[in-house]
Amino acid sequence: RASDDSSTAHAIVMDIDRDVIARAKVLMIGAGGIGCELMKTLACSGFQNITAIDLDTIDVSNLNRQFLFRKRHVGMAKSIVAKESVEKFRPGVKIEAMKANVKESRFDATYFKGFDVVLNGLDNLEARRHVNRLCLAAEVALVESGTTGYVGQVTVHARGTCACFECTEKPTPKSYPICTLRDTPDKPVHCIVYAKELLFSKLFGDTSKGSDLDEEDAVEAGAFRRNDGESSHDFAKRVFEYVFGTKIQALLLKDDMWKNRTKPTALTLAGAELEGEFSESDPSAKSARRAHGLIDPQIVWTQSQCAKVFVSATARLLNRNSVLEFDKDDDDAVEFVTAVSNLRSANYGIPPQSLFDAKGMAGNIIHAVATTNAIVSGLITLEAIKILHNKMDQTRYTFVMQHPSNGRLLQPLAKEAANPKCVVCGNARVELVCDTNTFTKQDLVDRVLKKKLSVNEPSIQFGATILHEEGDGLEEDEIEQYEALGARALTALPSGGVVHGTILSISDYSQNLDFELMVTHREEWDEEKEPEGFLLRGEEVRAKEDDVEAENADGVASAAAANDDDELLIVDDEVQLADDGAKRKRDDGDDKEDNVKAQKQTC
Amino acid sequence: TTTTTTTTAAIGTHGLAAETLKNIVLAGIGRVRVRDDGKNASSHTFGKDGNFLNVASDASEETSLAKAMVRTLEEMNPFATIEAENEVNMPLTDEEVEYYSQFDVVVACGFDYASSALINAKCRLAKCGFFVARASATSSSFFVDLGDAFEYISTGGSAAKDGEAVAPPQKETETFCAIDEAVTSSWSDIGKRASRLPAAMTVLWKFEQREKRAASDEDFERLRVEANARAAACGKPENFIADDALRVLLPAKIEIPAVNAIGGGILAQEVLKAVSHKGAPCANFFVFDCVSGQGSIQRLSA
């Protein structure tokens, strides 16, 4: 068919050599939203050797979009169940399924070298960076992807030919899985979303609809069920006791949950000064907080104040006697959310917020969409096919849009060129600004290197002195030595200390990573504007002040009758798909560069 | 919600149909009827055709392909009513208008022009939405007709500039035409930067209408001539439709699962909009091709 000279495009791309596909060794990481779709598409496409890694087990909230899983699979490993489901319609396929964390040391560069291509279906930035670094080290092409609601993208990365995943900073959309929101929050925004989406809906929304708070123990205890004749204040106090007290205590019994996390603390009515007769200093006030004399929105309320605002706001909202939806212009609603969020923060050791900040954070919500994952899986597979046929020059980025731009829902773009100053694949230096007299080595390791820069096992060298090392090969006394240095401020470290202008060499053997970190000393820190007490700057700033995890969007389209809202999404007002549309060449021969980036996402 | 009482009928058993069905069932559509005019047996295509809904059953009895697919779909959403069309005694095109009026939307996968036009006409009479989807080795496309006055609620628009308030959702109406009108449409309204693949699709549809068979590689020259003539008729340059644009749309003997995943995703989104009346529907052609990598919508009507 493709013998005609002029059918160039047809021949080049779709001259698929089935043997090449069948022999290819593919590694896919992530067997969730994108992963299920991808495994299905790969298997149907004739891939015979697939390895799938995912550390997660199946949650009931996954079932209405991760279509390879059924109710009977809840609790089982995602990668393994996915494999079994795929074998049911493609008996000849060979899938090695592993329930494992891709950051484990056995998945080193040598391991990655064993594959012809790596396909990511991950849901967090840290793992993406780790895989990016390993693919670069192993010199294996990587197809990256992500979805958020109706929006998605697929990108291709290969050492030496184009940008790696970390060459440019990409602002990431923010979304949070239900289990984090319900059981293990660790950021203020988790608490806000809990208050607004879970508790608010449960108490004031459509009570006939199911809720993620309808857990067995809650239902048994009648925690959210108002008793006949119960005053709204009394009911609110009971909800307080359950949500911030009993429920927390129940969670504390789950040892596994707290292995790597700080344990929460239960609150009590007594501790929050809610015992006895409830009263408001100004019952006729316009809103809950004003009823307790709290006016200034910038002030952070005490725990007791939050508790009182909670009871008042709950009562006021209940007394309206109608189904409510959160409205950020409704003072009682916003105050409810602020109070709940802060009380929850108190449970989990998270810093509380002012009304002003809480309101700002309660932004737009978008429900995630399953079809985007399907579309992205197709795009990933197409790119993988091109790579396996040595057609790297034909690979591209593709963006999936919610609203058509120039009539396009799928927009192809040329791959970016490698950034010579990339911290990961080029030469670069990062700058840390902090108070060197108070910033400790442990702060540097945990908050800067691991958290902001996603370094896995950093080693820090300062001239000839090694200040820090991690990894399997260390002796007991070496580990102790490094730990002891952890508590010391930078200036108090050996060999004269780390002072203003010091340049440290940071490396990570597991990620084949090397870069320089220059330290700049600064004493004045504005607690409000720079709450973290340090700044990270570089040729490419990789971490913004509140760098949050980019979780994969796993949720159901809003049309679902059953099980709405199981995975929630908060998206920035502007989700940038391309970091700079003007610089990048559009792959479609258009006359003029177009602005494909800004999309306002609204409720 | 509005989807709980709707019904769609998916016909055809290609991977594209499987993708679309999977997506709409997961999304919570109320009722689906799956119909296979080919009356294939499930064992016939199992493991071979990229239809991942055709899953090995534990029961050993032979079942129809439609039933096998329904069985898998039911597991994905126990709350939906999913049925296989059992009484397939005649082709869909012969069914009465009354049959069509059971549905809110009919999705026809892989039908030829003549059948598509007939089904489209009956859908119009029955006042139900009509989608016809096609696939080639390198492309996935569909045509949609939701009637003369399709009402919907817009859910915010395209990019709003910084500082501009985003318009609140409002009621809008969209107009569609039937496929016989669309295939003879003028191309004068096609924007300078718009994709020309939808227009190229109409050249292929028109060929089928006239020749009563699908175009193949050998017909390329005739398609080329037709495309040139259509372009000239609306004052466009002769090579308005590039050679490649025609080639990528030529029907193929095989489907590419990756392309089906993409086409089925967009198609499902549009089907959901059609039944929920929420969100601006695409009007009235969509084409994705993996050569250009574009997935574009274009309105083409007389």
Side-chain angles (χ1 to χ4, degrees):
Chain A
R1 308 190 61 215
S3 53
D4 185 348
D5 281 340
S6 60
S7 66
T8 47
H10 193 99
I12 289 170
V13 176
M14 291 327 295
D15 206 356
I16 295 181
D17 185 334
R18 304 209 160 250
D19 283 335
V20 167
I21 303 281
R23 280 193 319 257
K25 284 173 287 185
V26 175
L27 173 62
M28 46 172 281
I29 306 175
I34 292 179
C36 281
E37 294 286 344
L38 183 57
M39 202 189 273
K40 166 263 299 168
T41 307
L42 289 174
C44 287
S45 301
F47 284 85
Q48 291 286 313
N49 301 292
I50 303 170
T51 301
I53 301 177
D54 191 309
L55 51 72
D56 225 349
T57 53
I58 298 164
D59 183 66
V60 67
S61 65
N62 302 143
L63 297 182
N64 46 17
R65 59 211 170 274
Q66 295 171 27
F67 73 98
L68 297 176
F69 309 145
R70 305 282 176 261
K71 192 146 191 204
R72 62 184 183 276
H73 297 134
V74 171
M76 296 167 63
K78 283 189 178 182
S79 58
I80 294 172
V81 176
K83 163 197 156 96
E84 284 168 5
S85 298
V86 168
E87 283 168 346
K88 289 221 170 89
F89 58 83
R90 213 56 191 206
V93 70
K94 268 183 288 168
I95 303 176
E96 185 188 359
M98 289 194 268
K99 177 182 188 298
N101 187 337
V102 74
K103 294 181 73 173
E104 291 170 32
S105 57
R106 57 176 159 147
F107 303 124
D108 57 7
T110 308
Y111 180 81
F112 272 69
K113 276 204 178 92
F115 296 97
D116 299 311
V117 70
V118 176
L119 311 176
N120 266 355
L122 285 167
D123 62 1
N124 68 91
L125 193 53
E126 195 187 306
R128 282 184 162 118
R129 286 173 170 171
H130 186 82
V131 171
N132 177 52
R133 294 166 190 185
L134 283 163
C135 287
L136 287 167
E139 295 188 90
V140 183
L142 167 66
V143 183
E144 248 293 350
S145 66
T147 60
T148 308
Y150 287 98
V151 163
Q153 79 259 2
V154 172
T155 55
V156 175
H157 308 280
R159 168 145 235 150
T161 44
C162 55
C164 82
F165 175 70
E166 297 177 81
C167 274
T168 43
E169 169 70 5
K170 297 172 209 17
T172 46
K174 306 166 185 176
S175 70
Y176 310 94
I178 206 73
C179 30
T180 305
L181 297 176
R182 200 180 47 197
D183 302 335
T184 54
D186 61 12
K187 301 186 221 297
V189 67
H190 294 157
C191 302
I192 296 278
V193 178
Y194 175 95
K196 179 184 164 187
E197 285 306 297
L198 295 180
L199 194 56
F200 186 97
S201 306
K202 180 64 199 162
L203 293 174
F204 317 117
D206 184 0
T207 46
S208 64
K209 272 170 70 170
S211 156
D212 285 294
L213 295 183
D214 285 338
E215 294 165 282
E216 257 190 66
D217 48 353
V219 173
E220 266 184 52
F224 297 111
R225 195 178 55 234
R226 188 169 168 188
N227 298 328
D228 284 353
E230 191 177 32
S231 78
S232 44
H233 287 150
D234 283 343
F235 174 54
K237 283 203 227 170
R238 257 198 320 117
V239 173
F240 177 97
E241 269 195 287
Y242 176 76
V243 170
F244 306 112
T246 320
K247 175 66 190 170
I248 302 293
Q249 280 163 350
L251 285 175
L252 280 166
L253 298 174
K254 299 187 180 182
D255 284 342
D256 250 2
M257 202 174 256
W258 311 113
K259 251 206 209 137
N260 296 321
R261 297 186 177 100
T262 324
K263 286 187 177 185
T265 331
L267 304 183
T268 60
L269 285 173
E273 293 170 29
L274 270 187
E275 289 201 320
E277 189 75 80
F278 183 81
S279 65
E280 297 174 341
S281 55
D282 182 8
S284 61
K286 263 196 317 184
S287 75
R289 82 175 198 278
R290 293 181 180 91
H292 293 282
L294 300 165
I295 312 292
D296 187 351
Q298 303 274 12
I299 294 183
V300 179
W301 306 329
T302 64
Q303 187 186 122
S304 170
Q305 286 171 334
C306 288
K308 295 195 168 74
V309 172
F310 168 76
V311 172
S312 294
T314 302
R316 280 159 184 264
L317 292 164
L318 281 172
N319 291 345
R320 293 190 200 171
N321 265 320
S322 59
V323 172
L324 300 176
E325 276 198 283
F326 179 82
D327 176 5
K328 66 182 185 332
D329 296 320
D330 180 346
D331 281 358
D332 282 331
V334 176
E335 288 163 24
F336 171 87
V337 166
T338 306
V340 169
S341 175
N342 281 348
L343 289 166
R344 199 154 165 75
S345 296
N347 282 133
Y348 287 89
I350 300 168
Q353 298 181 88
S354 68
L355 175 64
F356 182 83
D357 286 338
K359 182 172 175 175
M361 215 177 250
N364 295 326
I365 303 267
I366 293 186
H367 295 296
V369 172
T371 46
T372 322
N373 287 336
I375 294 166
V376 159
S377 82
L379 293 168
I380 294 171
T381 307
L382 289 175
E383 296 303 314
I385 291 174
K386 292 178 202 172
I387 292 169
L388 292 166
H389 285 75
N390 283 319
K391 307 272 191 224
M392 197 61 199
D393 53 313
Q394 285 175 30
T395 57
R396 56 164 65 107
Y397 297 172
T398 309
F399 293 88
V400 184
M401 336 265 271
Q402 177 172 12
H403 302 291
S405 156
N406 266 338
R408 291 197 235 294
L409 288 174
L410 278 91
Q411 177 62 61
L413 278 169
K415 301 194 297 287
E416 287 174 4
N419 176 4
K421 294 177 178 172
C422 172
V423 173
V424 175
C425 74
N427 290 318
R429 176 183 291 176
V430 176
E431 181 192 2
L432 169 66
V433 185
C434 64
D435 182 339
T436 54
N437 291 317
T438 55
F439 207 73
T440 66
K441 193 197 86 159
Q442 207 57 42
D443 287 331
L444 171 58
V445 171
D446 289 340
R447 297 166 66 198
V448 178
L449 297 180
K450 289 189 174 178
K451 191 141 191 271
K452 293 281 187 187
L453 297 177
S454 298
V455 186
N456 191 24
E457 291 176 336
S459 70
I460 306 175
Q461 195 157 332
F462 169 38
T465 314
I466 300 181
L467 294 175
H468 186 80
E469 276 184 305
E470 285 186 31
D472 293 332
L474 292 178
E475 305 282 337
E476 277 294 317
D477 59 334
E478 283 175 320
I479 299 178
E480 274 175 24
Q481 247 183 320
Y482 292 131
E483 261 186 44
L485 288 179
R488 290 207 209 167
L490 294 182
T491 47
L493 290 171
S495 301
V498 172
V499 299
H500 177 81
T502 301
I503 297 178
L504 300 170
S505 294
I506 313 290
S507 56
D508 181 335
Y509 179 72
S510 76
Q511 291 180 341
N512 201 23
L513 187 61
D514 271 297
F515 62 94
E516 289 188 329
L517 183 124
M518 186 176 78
V519 177
T520 299
H521 172 77
R522 197 178 97 190
E523 277 181 21
E524 303 281 313
W525 288 94
D526 184 340
E527 260 193 48
E528 275 181 33
K529 291 210 198 87
E530 294 155 333
E532 287 182 305
F534 70 87
L535 276 184
L536 206 56
R537 290 201 286 251
E539 308 284 2
E540 289 300 331
V541 176
R542 79 177 53 251
K544 301 227 154 101
E545 281 305 297
D546 47 351
D547 183 21
V548 292
E549 291 173 352
E551 305 279 0
N552 193 16
D554 274 336
V556 149
S558 55
N563 244 352
D564 240 332
D565 304 349
D566 39 10
E567 299 234 324
L568 306 177
L569 214 64
I570 288 186
V571 183
D572 276 343
D573 278 341
E574 242 184 39
V575 175
Q576 287 196 282
L577 301 177
D579 63 301
D580 188 342
K583 279 198 191 138
R584 297 246 304 286
K585 188 167 74 77
R586 280 164 62 108
D587 205 22
D588 52 17
D590 266 8
D591 301 331
K592 198 172 75 182
E593 302 300 351
D594 228 326
N595 182 7
V596 296
K597 40 178 185 167
Q599 281 197 7
K600 269 253 187 283
Q601 312 257 7
T602 57
C603 297
Chain B
T1 72
T2 56
T3 60
T4 54
T5 57
T6 61
T7 316
T8 69
I11 307 98
T13 56
H14 309 281
L16 180 57
E19 287 284 347
T20 310
L21 283 165
K22 175 251 302 164
N23 290 331
I24 62 178
V25 166
L26 285 176
I29 201 155
R31 293 184 59 200
V32 182
R33 184 146 350 141
V34 180
R35 176 183 175 124
D36 173 21
D37 277 8
K39 297 207 244 187
N40 292 298
S42 64
S43 56
H44 193 53
T45 54
F46 169 71
K48 296 184 211 132
D49 65 347
N51 179 351
F52 55 88
L53 295 177
N54 187 3
V55 154
S57 67
D58 297 319
S60 55
E61 105 274 4
E62 181 90 337
T63 188
S64 73
L65 183 52
K67 279 218 187 101
M69 290 168 73
V70 164
R71 202 170 44 211
T72 311
L73 290 167
E74 279 174 332
E75 290 186 5
M76 289 182 196
N77 185 351
F79 297 104
T81 306
I82 309 180
E83 311 158 318
E85 184 63 80
N86 291 322
E87 310 295 322
V88 181
N89 300 319
M90 60 179 97
L92 177 63
T93 45
D94 285 355
E95 297 276 10
E96 299 296 337
V97 170
E98 204 185 295
Y99 174 84
Y100 287 84
S101 52
Q102 300 174 73
F103 309 111
D104 294 302
V105 167
V106 170
V107 181
C109 294
F111 280 63
D112 62 29
Y113 177 82
S115 306
S116 302
L118 246 172
I119 297 170
N120 194 167
K122 295 197 179 183
C123 283
R124 280 206 148 226
L125 289 169
K127 296 210 188 315
C128 71
F130 169 72
F131 288 84
V132 57
R134 298 275 282 254
S136 75
T138 47
S139 72
S140 183
S141 66
F142 65 81
F143 164 83
V144 52
D145 176 7
L146 299 178
D148 292 326
F150 177 78
E151 288 183 351
Y152 67 95
I153 306 215
S154 73
T155 52
S158 45
K161 297 217 169 51
D162 285 322
E164 258 182 46
V166 180
Q170 39 202 3
K171 243 201 170 136
E172 317 241 4
T173 310
E174 183 65 81
T175 314
F176 295 81
C177 67
I179 194 166
D180 49 8
E181 191 185 311
V183 298
T184 51
S185 58
S186 163
W187 297 345
S188 42
D189 285 342
I190 297 177
K192 199 165 182 210
R193 278 173 287 175
S195 166
R196 302 188 186 162
L197 278 156
M201 200 60 211
T202 64
V203 174
L204 271 93
W205 279 116
K206 191 96 185 79
F207 180 94
E208 270 185 45
Q209 181 191 45
R210 214 179 39 234
E211 305 295 322
K212 311 217 187 308
R213 64 173 174 84
S216 70
D217 276 355
E218 286 82 51
D219 300 307
F220 177 77
E221 281 312 316
R222 296 173 64 183
L223 292 169
R224 177 75 266 165
V225 165
E226 167 86 19
N228 293 352
R230 290 277 291 275
C234 355
K236 299 280 189 194
E238 202 174 66
N239 58 355
F240 184 69
I241 307 275
D243 281 356
D244 280 351
L246 291 169
R247 286 193 199 279
V248 298
L249 298 175
L250 287 168
K253 294 208 172 33
I254 48 157
E255 286 177 19
I256 304 290
V259 174
N260 286 336
I262 296 164
I266 303 283
L267 177 55
Q269 285 175 15
E270 292 306 309
V271 169
L272 291 167
K273 283 185 202 167
V275 298
S276 70
H277 292 261
K278 282 197 194 135
C282 292
N284 54 352
F285 277 93
F286 170 82
V287 183
F288 166 78
D289 83 286
C290 63
V291 175
S292 74
Q294 291 173 28
S296 304
I297 312 163
Q298 181 66 47
R299 170 189 294 285
L300 292 169
S301 46

